[in-house]
Amino acid sequence: MEKSCSLLVHFDKGTPALANEIKEALEGNDTARKVDAMKKAVMLLLNGETLPQLFITIVRYVLPSEDHTVQKLLLLYLEIIDKTDSRGKILPEMILICQNLRNNLQHPNEYIRGVTLRFLSRLNEAELIEPLIHAILSNLEHRHAFVRRNAISAVMAIYKLPQGEHLLADAPDLIEKILGTEQDLSARRNAFLMLCNCAQERAVNYLLSHAESVSGWGDLLQMVVLELIRKVCRSNPGEKGKYMKIILSLLNSNSTAVMYECAGTLVSLSSAPTAIRAAANCYCQLLQSQSDNNVKLIVLDRLQELKASHREVMVEMIMDVLRALSSPNLDIRRKTLDIALDLITPRNIDEVVMTLKKEVVKTQSKELEKNGEYRQMLVQAIHSCALKFPEVASQVVHLLMDFLGDSNVASAIDVIIFVREIIETNPKLRESIMARLLDTFYQIQAPRVATCALWVVGEYSLSLPEVEAAISTIKQSLGELPFFRVAEDGEVIDSSFSKTTPQSTRGLASHSAPVVASSKRPAVLPDGTYATQSAAAEIAITAPSVSLASVGAAANLRAILLTGDFFLGAVVAATLTKLVLRFEEVQPSKIAVNKAVAEALLIMVSMLRLGQSSALPQPIDNDSVDRIILCIRILLGSDDVIKSVWLKGCRESFVKMIKDKQQQEIEEKKAKAQILHAQPDDLIDFYHLKSRKGMSQLELEDEVQNDLKRATGEFTKDTDSSRKLNRVLQLTGFSDPVYAEAYVTVHQYDIVLDVTVINRTNETLQNLCLELATMGDLKLVERPQNYTLAPEGRKQIRANIKVSSTETGVIFGNIVYETTSVLDRNVVVLNDIHIDIMDYISPASCADVVFRNMWAEFEWENKVAVNTTIQDVKEFLSHVVASTNMKCLTPSSALEGDSGFLAANLYAKSVFGEDALVNISVEKLPDGKLGGYIRIRSKTQGIALSLGDKITLKQKG
Amino acid sequence: MVVLAASVINKTGKALVSRQFVDMSRIRIEGLLAAFPKLVGIGKQHTYVETENVRYVYQPMESLYLLLVTNKQSNILEDLETLRLLSKLVPDYCPALDEEGICKVAFELIFAFDEVISLGHKEAVTIAQVKQYLEMESHEERLHQLIMQSKINETKDVMKRKANEIDKSKIDKLRSDKGRMIPMPIRLDNGFNDITSALSGEFGSNSGFGSSLDSDTFSKPKARVSAPAPTKGFGMQLGKTQKAAQFIESLKAEGEVIVEDVQQVIAGPSKSTALVTDPIAVAIEERLVVALKKDGGLENLEVQGTMFLTVQKKEDAYIRVQIETGANKGFQFKTHPSIDKELFSQQNILGLKDPNRPFPTGTPSGVVKWRMQSRQESLVPININCWPSVSGGETFVNIEYESSKTFELQNVLILIPLPALREPPIVNQVDGDWRYDSRKSVLEWSIVLIDNTNRNGSMEFVVPPTDSSSFFPIDVKFSAVRTFCDIKVASVNQTQGGNSLKFGGRTQLVVESYQVA
């Protein structure tokens, strides 16, 4: 175990204080200077200097000082100096301070006594404490509570030392007596804590004999009581019953901290529904009563844990949980919805949806800044409710459709996707939804929403009046044809467009602007492909300067089209085709059909014209042209095959997609459920054989201990030794006079190098020093020390290196030594040690939207061309995933099939919380090789570069 | 429910102050703190971050974070309470919430953290209590000191009695056998040594008075021993006759007073040391107000001087002070109304109008005042020339001083105001020392002593381009032991009898305001 460090003070290396200056100031009589010098001495010590010569000065001149601050600083100094020699034996001069400590313990100033006692409770050297025992004990009866409480904690700390029981054999006795008489809350707490830690039975006895008065004990003490109860019940589960009453009485405590702790204790002790319910109730109470966001979030975390283990109980609490939605904080709302969504059952679904509906309405009435996002969350929540319980859809779908024209595009998209799904899964609602959709169609502003809405209209308008209404709605929203008028500007636009030179130059000129405007950064499309956004994307261009037919408020599609979004045009054309084809089926009158066909053709042609004219800054893209022309062809003459493709095939594949999605969800659930299954060797609780109802065995308390150990970094995972040996690096050659090899352990924030140095000569090497230097974000923690190495001797040297960001780092250095025969120093240069970035990143997952947002936001991109011997795209992907330790976000279903083309997103997080994004786009080239790019993006350069290097290195396969 | 550490760090994760309450290695805590800023989300409305192993509960304070590192099982409600308390305490001890400010009070903060959290557990304390704990004002300590003092006095009495007895016996013995004169002192000395060693033994062994107190100390007696020690020395030297013994007694009584005085002096301003120790002290102090023009030339020079007379004991208060003065052109003198004006103007003697009245004792009283105002440039003790010049993207400032030969100036401090700079200015050359006070944005040029060896001096520094007027007004501070007015005390005589008395004096010239604007 490394030396523990009890304080850190920033030390400015720019102003080094010299040891002799400090010494001089310490020897003087000026108190202020002495204080200053003591501070400097402590800082120097913290900075790694040893200042051995200062100790005697301090003993001589500082120890007798009367000044309180000097005395306190002296205690800090004593706290951090090395009190033992290299073999762990106490330094003889340390005994000099004992006298001073004893004086302090008998000092008339109670605060001096107190701080000295506090210092003693941090002291680990029994030899130093031994002579002071008597003085410490006498302080237990001091008049001031300040002294008593510190004395008690000192006694506890001493008793806990390895030799503590010999030093203070009667400590539990004493403390128990004190506990009976003590009035000060802190002192009582410390006393009880001491009994808990050192003499558990006594603590239990005391607690049980005072069970009635526990509720009046004061919060600090109550917390320890709860700690004790948990501890006792862990080692002796049968005794839980005794403490239940106490816990329940504490549950009504005035202190919220105690309430919280109580609930935690209840959960850890019992799985009886009543206990869980009480705990959940308590959490909900805190959730409502506490205004602090931190508390709310953490309480929600606890509720989430409860939900995982005791769903049935939590189901009853769902409405209480939902009340947390009243908080304006989005994180809290999100967590609340997460919890609530998992708890819905047929019984409470109505209530939940009502609440959600109310919240949605609320977002409409008040204009808060985050309303849009919140609404999106609610829509998603309602969506998933409706998926689970389709019957509620009818209640909400109409309300939600009001938001199709929402200015927050994301929530509008959510709504339309929801509608699309409901209309398929809920045939009963089809008619009403269609009617409603056509009503609200004019409000739709966003192209993506509009395309989706058009698809729904085209697919689900079945009856004659519906089809008619749909066609007329689309027509209306397109407005008057044509889309632009030729005459007014005197511009001639005809098919010979390309021949008129001034026109084309003009066209070019007007191109340049949008090129700039549309030179947006490339984005990752939802299917994982990496694309520069084409016309299909929303490009914010204001209405073109050509004089246009007046754009009515109703003509929303027209407005979008005129911004140059021809993808929408293609969708409109397809929708019209579908509608007309269906019209043919349901309309007996041939005349009406022909009219409809003609109108549809006119619209499509107008759109093509608009696209090819110079009226818009950017011409129609070829995809859209093809699509519209295809529609025209179909309308001009169609056969049954094509008809069935258009009218049925589309629908079928959508149905399939929904089914797939449900399938996938079910599978995920199954996978989750599988994890929850008991292990073969788990204990089985036989409900009927239990003596006390609902008391199950839980080892939760061990977690507390582990938790603390993990937090202090004491806890190290066991790695299998085979991996360990892989990390041994040879640093020098076998024929070098000094052989060195290092074993590198990478912890979370630090790297430990265990270097074995072997003297291969027959001489004694003196002042042997391992000098290391680093490149990258690495920092050496200690300065190297000098060693003497006997002939053929070996030495283990340990070096700590601090890591502060995810980056490939290099450690290099040399070994310097002197021999007796030669005066000058010899140097052996070491092999470089490369620290692998892979040790710092771990697979993580994030939502598709989040990923794309980060992708757009991050500054650094590293593009690596694919160059590999692997022949198969999927094999290549799995190879990259394996070698970079990342997670593939693209679902496996999207990667299925054998198209010779693959696009996938990978994601990982570093231990420092940095994100690493990778996009792979590969295709199989005709010659059988793979081609394409791997792009890495991150917020910092380091990750992008190191990860790129790593991939370049590993991709060969 | 354990707080692992309480820290103040900056936005880059550098730990300014951190106090750990459980054992953890340095690399671990530094790693945790360094990782923290990267974990803090932007625009989050909650102030905790959880990682795999720990939870951070924090509060931003201007450009810093106050941070508690806890384990994840820790009780958030309690931790928030603790954090709230600390966040109120920190600004109390550190008015400037920046790195420099925190570093200055780092240790005070550590002490405060210690009071709020003990061994990772929250203490039930309020801010007022924490402050009280940190002040460490103990009633008992004062009481104890009083008791100690009286014990010492008592012991001294005992000592005196013993000394008297020895004196007596010595005299008796002298009377009885006068023949053995020579060996006696040796034996006496031995006897005295015995007593003193017995006494100091008593102090050291702590059995004399410590046992009756519930709280006996070790360091106290040792420190106290030093106070009576010199009086013991006197005791041995003077302990030859009965009369001398009485003198010891009075001296000791006084000695006690002196000891106390010394303690006060240490606490008070060191200026008055000279005044207090002499039975009669005359202090001549001149205050100087100078306003110089930026482009040379003197706006105004004014000197105001006062002579203070301090008489320690009533017996010495019936005195007259003979004064010597030079030509003193342009000086106007004024005496205290109760001073005999004629005596002063004719014989340069300061005496009270009523010779039977004493001067006031114990406090310094002004007896003569004088004043001089002039525009004569040659009188100015130090001239400052400041030449800012812009060159390239920087302003070079050359400053030089020129001191007149009449004075030796001590602790000269020239304060040049600078525009607010992020970094200290680059000083190319300086005679003396310089320091940059970023808070006030003032460059301090200090010269410990200006005498004939360095009547001229200069400094050059570079700052980013600035308007030349922003380097003014320049303030100068110094002191000197000579005054403008040629006046000194020749002798002090008793009113009756005319015996001359010993007196101490001090002459000082201080700057009240010295500005170049």
Side-chain angles (χ1 to χ4, degrees), chain A residues 826-853:
Chain A
N826 296 312
V827 177
V828 183
V829 178
L830 301 179
N831 212 353
D832 294 353
I833 305 170
H834 290 265
I835 302 302
D836 196 349
I837 183 179
M838 291 310 121
D839 294 318
Y840 292 105
I841 64 175
S842 54
S845 65
C846 68
D848 184 48
V849 186
V850 181
F851 183 89
R852 279 197 277 159
N853 282 345

Side-chain angles (χ1 to χ4, degrees), chain A residues 390-406:
Chain A
E391 60 274 19
V392 298
S394 58
Q395 291 176 25
V396 288
V397 70
H398 296 298
L399 175 76
L400 290 184
M401 280 167 76
D402 287 341
F403 295 106
L404 281 178
D406 195 340

Side-chain angles (χ1 to χ4, degrees), chain A residues 5-6 8 10 46 66 79 103 109-111 118 122 143 186 189 227 257 261 294 329 804, chain B residues 1 16 18-20 24 26 38 45 47 73 75 115 122-123 132 136 138 140-141 218 220:
Chain A
C5 157
S6 63
L8 286 180
H10 173 62
L46 285 176
E66 291 271 314
E79 192 177 306
N103 288 343
N109 187 325
E110 61 265 26
Y111 302 109
R118 193 183 292 144
R122 281 178 182 259
R143 217 160 52 77
S186 276
R189 192 265 312 265
E227 205 181 305
E261 200 68 26
N294 302 310
N329 185 305
S804 50
Chain B
M1 43 173 196
L16 301 177
S18 176
R19 181 72 166 149
Q20 285 77 255
M24 63 202 300
R26 180 177 182 125
K38 294 190 177 118
Q45 288 176 319
T47 54
Q73 303 270 332
N75 190 323
E115 297 300 341
K122 181 186 165 238
E123 287 280 7
Q132 184 199 338
M136 307 183 86
S138 165
E140 290 188 12
E141 189 182 22
F218 263 101
K220 279 295 164 50

Side-chain angles (χ1 to χ4, degrees), chain A residues 1-10 39 42-43 46-47 64 66 68-69 72-73 76 79 99 102-103 106-113 115 118 121-122 124 142-144 146 149 153 156 185-186 189-190 193 219-220 223-224 227 256-258 260-261 286 290 292-295 297-298 301-302 328-331 335 370 703-704 707-708 710-713 748-750 781 800-802 804-805 911-914, chain B residues 1-2 4 14-35 38-39 42-48 50-58 70-78 80 84 99 103-108 110-111 114-115 117-119 121-125 129 132-141 144-145 206 214-220 222-224:
Chain A
M1 177 67 193
E2 279 172 80
K3 219 181 91 184
S4 72
C5 157
S6 63
L7 73 156
L8 286 180
V9 174
H10 173 62
K39 283 181 181 178
V42 171
M43 285 206 243
L46 285 176
N47 207 35
E66 291 271 314
H68 300 155
T69 317
K72 275 170 105 173
L73 286 167
L76 279 187
E79 192 177 306
Q99 183 63 23
R102 179 155 58 210
N103 288 343
Q106 293 166 339
H107 203 278
N109 187 325
E110 61 265 26
Y111 302 109
I112 291 278
R113 287 188 184 211
V115 290
R118 193 183 292 144
S121 57
R122 281 178 182 259
N124 287 325
H142 195 266
R143 217 160 52 77
H144 283 272
F146 184 77
R149 74 170 81 126
S153 51
M156 170 165 78
L185 183 57
S186 276
R189 192 265 312 265
N190 289 350
L193 197 64
D219 51 351
L220 290 182
M223 300 281 265
V224 186
E227 205 181 305
T256 46
V258 174
Y260 175 86
E261 200 68 26
L286 288 173
Q290 293 292 304
D292 193 295
N293 287 342
N294 302 310
V295 178
L297 282 170
I298 287 177
D301 278 348
R302 293 291 95 75
N329 185 305
L330 274 185
D331 292 325
K335 241 179 203 170
K370 294 257 172 81
E703 281 176 25
V704 179
D707 189 45
L708 187 61
R710 263 208 309 273
T712 52
Q748 206 173 6
Y749 304 114
D750 57 313
V781 178
N800 275 313
I801 290 157
K802 200 166 99 181
S804 50
S805 79
V911 288
F912 308 102
E914 297 153 309
Chain B
M1 43 173 196
V2 173
L4 308 179
K14 184 167 72 178
L16 301 177
V17 182
S18 176
R19 181 72 166 149
Q20 285 77 255
F21 300 101
V22 294
D23 283 344
M24 63 202 300
S25 67
R26 180 177 182 125
I27 192 157
R28 176 78 189 167
I29 181 70
E30 280 188 339
L32 286 174
L33 295 179
K38 294 190 177 118
L39 298 169
I42 308 152
K44 289 270 195 276
Q45 288 176 319
H46 54 86
T47 54
Y48 78 95
E50 276 188 359
T51 67
E52 204 184 329
N53 300 325
V54 295
R55 180 192 290 153
Y56 303 93
V57 190
Y58 65 95
T70 71
N71 61 346
K72 282 171 83 176
Q73 303 270 332
S74 178
N75 190 323
I76 179 73
L77 288 146
E78 232 191 5
L80 283 172
R84 229 166 278 152
E99 286 186 33
C103 289
K104 253 186 203 158
V105 294
F107 288 94
E108 285 73 11
I110 285 179
F111 295 145
D114 266 349
E115 297 300 341
I117 306 164
S118 73
L119 295 174
H121 293 268
K122 181 186 165 238
E123 287 280 7
V125 287
Q129 275 171 319
Q132 184 199 338
Y133 293 163
L134 291 183
E135 271 167 22
M136 307 183 86
E137 258 327 301
S138 165
H139 177 65
E140 290 188 12
E141 189 182 22
H144 176 79
Q145 271 165 355
N206 201 9
D214 72 327
S215 51
D216 39 5
T217 75
F218 263 101
S219 64
K220 279 295 164 50
K222 272 181 195 160
R224 286 291 165 210

